[in-house]
């Protein structure tokens, strides 16, 4: 079992930056692939970024590539999502996820409660 708690969401103007954090407790953090998903208003949840167990491999949705960076600190049991050049279309509830599989899939084993990110134009 692992519990995930996101923080760092908020309201930001277009072009601004935010850093989301996701703290994990309850199990061995380094054994989980981690990632971020988001759910825009009125839309389905979508993949944003994933990172491997060691933190050595990452991948991103095309819509955020070059603007968002995912990182993982196994010593602090925390995964981060640095979001730069935010646009109104990035407005969503952002969810942290953990997966026991080698690569985080579309249905991870554990989810956080979500944190709201709102980008104003």
């Amino acid at each position: 079992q692992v519990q995930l708690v996101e923080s760092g969401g908020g309201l930001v103007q277009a072009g601004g930056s935010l850093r989301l954090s996701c703290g994990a407790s309850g199990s061995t953090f380094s054994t989980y692939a981690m990632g971020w998903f988001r759910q825009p208003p009125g839309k389905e949840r979508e993949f944003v970024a994933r990172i491997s167990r060691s933190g050595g491999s990452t991948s991103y949705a095309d819509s955020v590539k070059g603007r968002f960076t995912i990182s993982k600190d196994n010593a602090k049991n925390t995964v981060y999502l640095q979001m730069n050049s935010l646009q109104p279309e990035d407005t969503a509830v952002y969810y942290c996820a953990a997966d026991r599989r080698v690569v985080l899939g579309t249905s991870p084993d554990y989810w956080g409660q979500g944190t709201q990110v709102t980008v104003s134009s």
Side-chain angles (χ1 to χ4, degrees), residues 49-65:
R50 65 167 62 91
I51 189 165
S52 63
R53 293 169 174 173
S54 68
S57 176
T58 59
S59 63
Y60 299 89
D62 287 343
S63 59
V64 308
K65 205 171 291 184

Side-chain angles (χ1 to χ4, degrees), residues 2-3 5 7-9 11-12 18 25 27-28 33 40 42 54 67 72 83 87-89 91 94 97 111 116-117 121:
V2 63
Q3 293 79 46
V5 180
S7 61
L11 174 64
V12 63
L18 282 174
S25 62
S27 189
T28 307
S54 68
R67 300 187 298 124
K72 189 175 188 260
M83 306 185 294
Q87 299 302 316
E89 53 265 34
T91 294
Y94 283 72
W111 294 93
Q116 176 71 46
V117 171
S121 57

Side-chain angles (χ1 to χ4, degrees), residues 6 10 14 16 18 20 22 26 37 40 52 56-57 64 66 83 88-89 93-94 98 100-101 111 113 115:
E6 302 100 333
L18 282 174
L20 304 183
C22 174
F37 291 75
S52 63
S57 176
V64 308
M83 306 185 294
E89 53 265 34
V93 177
Y94 283 72
R100 290 169 293 186
R101 287 178 282 261
W111 294 93
Q113 83 287 351
T115 186

Side-chain angles (χ1 to χ4, degrees), residues 55-116:
S57 176
T58 59
S59 63
Y60 299 89
D62 287 343
S63 59
V64 308
K65 205 171 291 184
R67 300 187 298 124
F68 290 12
T69 303
I70 188 170
S71 59
K72 189 175 188 260
D73 189 334
N74 284 335
K76 294 184 178 180
N77 284 11
T78 302
V79 64
Y80 303 97
L81 185 67
Q82 178 65 44
M83 306 185 294
N84 298 329
S85 301
L86 283 161
Q87 299 302 316
E89 53 265 34
D90 295 315
T91 294
V93 177
Y94 283 72
Y95 296 91
C96 175
D99 205 329
R100 290 169 293 186
R101 287 178 282 261
V102 173
V103 177
L104 182 132
T106 55
S107 298
D109 296 311
Y110 303 102
W111 294 93
Q113 83 287 351
T115 186
Q116 176 71 46

